[in-house]
Amino acid sequence: MQKVPFKPLKSFTPIIGFSAAPHTALIVRPDAPWKSFRELVDYAKKNPRKIHYSSAGVGTGMHLAMEYVGNKEGIQWVHIPYKSAAAARTALMGGHVEACSAGAEFVPFARQGLVRVLVTHGEKRSPAFPDVPTMKELGYDFVKETIHSVVGPASLPPDVLKRLETGLTKGAETPEFIAIRDKLDCLPGYMNSADYDRYLKDLWVRTEKTFKDAGIIKEPATQPY
């Protein structure tokens, strides 16, 4: 979306991916009339521009999820971008928007019953919300992927890469690391350097297609290589 002075794939050496964050979702207020995502979609289709939804900004995975559904379903809903996921969620709780395509910080509020989760964006159901379906389960070919990772500069010497990959992998296997990962509601998502390199290349192709299909871009502002 934005012109940058580096090449998104060529300028870095993937080292490892070490966990996955599944917690992004579409949430509404607990007193909202929609008990399911399908109910919200049906309402939005019948009431153009009546649903205003917040997100952490244009081009985020949360924004893309809603634009993907809107494009597929022919929905005219209104995107209200904020500067952070917390601000977007606060706008929902304050009654300024009808829905929020939320970042991971919504989880404690959902557990307290302060927001209702209608659908999640992960590949599989979130362990924290096992009764909430994913977008894929509802027939939408969309997954928002957040892989926590470590990368180095381009052309990292093979021996340095190997040492970093080995050391970071051992660190990610320690009980201390696993305890913190679990406390943050993250999932195991380990990929070695070669796997992570393949993943990023595939992710670029899929993301570019989704952005184009949603009408957000015509071509990437910066080419990956």
Side-chain angles (χ1 to χ4, degrees):
M1 291 184 58
Q2 186 175 337
K3 188 71 175 177
V4 293
F6 55 85
K7 298 297 184 181
L9 294 179
K10 185 179 180 180
S11 298
F12 304 94
T13 299
I15 299 175
I16 69 164
F18 57 81
S19 72
H23 294 309
T24 62
L26 194 282
I27 60 175
V28 296
R29 287 163 56 96
D31 58 355
W34 312 288
K35 301 298 191 297
S36 70
F37 188 62
R38 176 50 56 189
E39 289 181 4
L40 177 64
V41 166
D42 290 343
Y43 175 87
K45 290 173 73 171
K46 297 173 183 176
N47 297 273
R49 302 188 68 80
K50 292 293 186 181
I51 294 295
H52 302 74
Y53 76 90
S54 59
S55 83
V58 175
T60 60
M62 292 79 82
H63 171 218
L64 192 57
M66 293 296 281
E67 292 306 301
Y68 176 88
V69 174
N71 185 62
K72 183 177 177 67
E73 298 281 4
I75 294 172
Q76 297 180 44
W77 42 30
V78 182
H79 179 217
I80 311 296
Y82 284 80
K83 292 184 178 180
S84 70
R89 188 255 311 151
T90 300
L92 171 71
M93 296 177 68
H96 302 291
V97 293
E98 288 75 37
C100 172
S101 195
E105 44 61 62
F106 82 90
V107 173
F109 298 91
R111 285 174 170 158
Q112 296 174 60
L114 299 176
V115 298
R116 178 187 299 148
V117 187
L118 298 187
V119 67
T120 58
H121 301 146
E123 181 72 36
K124 299 178 181 179
R125 290 195 180 198
S126 166
F129 307 103
D131 297 329
V132 178
T134 66
M135 284 183 60
K136 287 196 73 171
E137 286 182 81
L138 298 182
Y140 302 107
D141 187 19
F142 181 90
V143 173
K144 180 190 175 295
E145 299 157 278
T146 300
I147 302 296
H148 301 138
S149 59
V150 180
V151 302
S155 303
L156 202 62
D159 61 325
V160 175
L161 171 60
K162 187 62 178 178
R163 285 162 58 194
L164 288 170
E165 181 185 40
T166 300
L168 290 166
T169 298
K170 288 180 178 178
E173 294 171 346
T174 63
E176 295 85 355
F177 179 90
I178 293 171
I180 293 174
R181 184 195 68 203
D182 293 347
K183 184 178 180 180
L184 295 174
D185 293 306
C186 293
L187 300 176
Y190 176 76
M191 284 182 276
N192 63 25
S193 176
D195 290 340
Y196 191 39
D197 182 61
R198 284 190 292 268
Y199 167 82
L200 289 175
K201 291 173 180 175
D202 176 67
L203 178 63
W204 177 279
V205 172
R206 291 185 287 110
T207 302
E208 181 180 336
K209 182 180 185 302
T210 304
F211 269 57
K212 288 179 176 178
D213 290 348
I216 296 174
I217 64 169
K218 292 184 178 179
E219 293 294 334
T222 303
Q223 291 301 317
Y225 301 103

